[in-house]
Amino acid sequence: MQESEYLHSADFEVRDYECDLQGVVNNANYQHYLEHACHVFLVSKGISFAQLHEEGLDLIVTRVEIDYKFPLRSCDKFEVKTNILMKGNVRIVFHQDIFRLPDNKLVVKAIITTAATRKGKPVAPGNIIQKLGL
């Protein structure tokens, strides 16, 4: 994605315990980074997962696509850049890229698809759309 296409960026640092025996971040930890960046982004827009749940609305992950391009190592600093779009009436899709800092080396390209649900049934996400500017 072009720099101007990202709506949000969050910076992180790799912790030792996130690395495997080869000294690189274990593949499963990238999904943690992506999810945390989503939460940080939503909070920046005034959206709280806990509050949504209290109101009966849940955003659930229905699909995760991750392309691993380059490994991160202990103490590497990185940023997760996020963009979003609506797909249909109930899905919000997060396009996320992870870049190592300070050289901006592309580490991961990911697409995380979520669906809005109420009592387990798909629903339109309501006022989330306005808060996200979609």
Side-chain angles (χ1 to χ4, degrees), residues 32-70:
H32 290 255
Y33 301 153
L34 296 165
E35 183 169 356
H36 187 66
C38 280
H39 283 251
V40 171
F41 169 62
L42 292 174
V43 167
S44 79
K45 296 292 189 176
I47 300 168
S48 159
F49 269 109
Q51 184 177 351
L52 287 177
H53 179 74
E54 290 294 318
E55 295 168 359
L57 185 69
D58 292 303
L59 286 181
I60 59 166
V61 174
T62 60
R63 183 176 175 87
V64 176
E65 301 171 62
I66 300 175
D67 293 324
Y68 300 95
K69 302 293 190 178
F70 189 84

Side-chain angles (χ1 to χ4, degrees), residues 1-9 41 81-85 93-97 99 109 134:
M1 290 189 149
Q2 300 287 343
E3 181 71 28
S4 62
E5 295 180 47
Y6 297 106
L7 296 174
H8 189 263
S9 176
F41 169 62
K81 294 185 177 187
T82 302
N83 196 8
I84 53 167
L85 59 93
V93 180
F94 293 82
H95 287 261
Q96 295 179 286
D97 296 328
F99 296 92
K109 291 190 77 55
L134 294 175

Side-chain angles (χ1 to χ4, degrees), residues 103-122:
D103 64 355
N104 291 315
K105 176 85 173 169
L106 179 62
V107 173
V108 159
K109 291 190 77 55
I111 301 172
I112 312 297
T113 304
T114 65
T117 64
R118 190 175 300 281
K119 296 183 181 177
K121 306 272 188 214

Side-chain angles (χ1 to χ4, degrees), residues 21 38 74 123 129:
L21 290 174
C38 280
S74 180
V123 297
I129 301 307

